């Protein structure tokens, strides 16, 4: 029963880790660029820029572990890179066009997520 309990805890930990990434990671947090309040959109764009700057600064930190961590960064995902390019092109300001871009991006069904979840 101890082994079964350890397995259950490991599975719960893995699920919690997966869900927290989905809720608090950048692909999900970018949906706040659709928010009706301009201050929420600006705060989101600024937080995204700061985190992206940290990602870039990691290039200069020596060590295989740091570089391995950087290679798994969410900033390397195509959907996140698209937002980065769009925001950077507008001086990191969440313009109405950016709001519309975000609205369209987050109104689509995430096919890969559905496949991962076995739907």
């Amino acid at each position: 029963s101890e082994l079964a309990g350890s397995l259950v805890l490991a599975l719960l930990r893995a699920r919690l880790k997966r869900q927290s990434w989905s809720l608090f990671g950048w692909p999900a947090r970018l949906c706040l660029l659709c928010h009706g309040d301009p201050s929420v959109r600006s705060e989101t764009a600024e937080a995204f820029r700061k985190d992206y700057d940290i990602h870039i600064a990691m290039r200069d930190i020596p060590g295989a572990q740091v570089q391995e961590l950087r290679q798994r960064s969410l900033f390397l995902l195509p959907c996140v890179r698209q937002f980065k390019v769009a925001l950077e092109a507008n001086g990191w300001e969440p313009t109405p066009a950016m709001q519309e871009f975000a609205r369209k991006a987050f109104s689509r069904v995430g096919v890969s997520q559905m496949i991962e979840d076995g739907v």
Side-chain angles (χ1 to χ4, degrees), residues 17-51:
K17 183 179 175 183
R18 169 80 170 125
Q19 289 307 110
S20 64
W21 174 84
S22 295
L23 293 172
F24 304 111
W26 272 117
R29 285 175 62 192
L30 286 166
C31 72
L32 292 173
L33 293 172
C34 303
H35 201 280
D37 184 347
S39 66
V40 172
R41 293 193 307 268
S42 293
E43 290 169 10
T44 301
E46 179 63 15
F48 183 75
R49 185 195 58 78
K50 286 179 180 179
D51 285 354

Side-chain angles (χ1 to χ4, degrees), residues 94-108:
T95 62
M98 185 74 239
Q99 184 181 17
E100 182 63 16
F101 175 78
R103 188 192 63 72
K104 287 180 181 177
F106 285 101
S107 64
R108 295 185 291 237

Side-chain angles (χ1 to χ4, degrees), residues 21-107:
W21 174 84
S22 295
L23 293 172
F24 304 111
W26 272 117
R29 285 175 62 192
L30 286 166
C31 72
L32 292 173
L33 293 172
C34 303
H35 201 280
D37 184 347
S39 66
V40 172
R41 293 193 307 268
S42 293
E43 290 169 10
T44 301
E46 179 63 15
F48 183 75
R49 185 195 58 78
K50 286 179 180 179
D51 285 354
Y52 180 74
D53 288 346
I54 291 168
H55 166 73
I56 294 302
M58 287 178 69
R59 284 190 233 175
D60 301 329
I61 300 173
Q65 291 175 328
V66 173
Q67 294 312 312
E68 181 181 321
L69 181 64
R70 188 175 177 278
Q71 291 303 314
R72 295 186 329 211
S73 172
L74 298 173
F75 289 101
L76 300 177
L77 295 174
C79 62
V80 178
R81 287 194 326 240
Q82 287 176 341
F83 277 93
K84 179 261 179 194
V85 168
L87 281 166
E88 193 173 43
N90 289 303
W92 297 98
E93 290 297 319
T95 62
M98 185 74 239
Q99 184 181 17
E100 182 63 16
F101 175 78
R103 188 192 63 72
K104 287 180 181 177
F106 285 101
S107 64

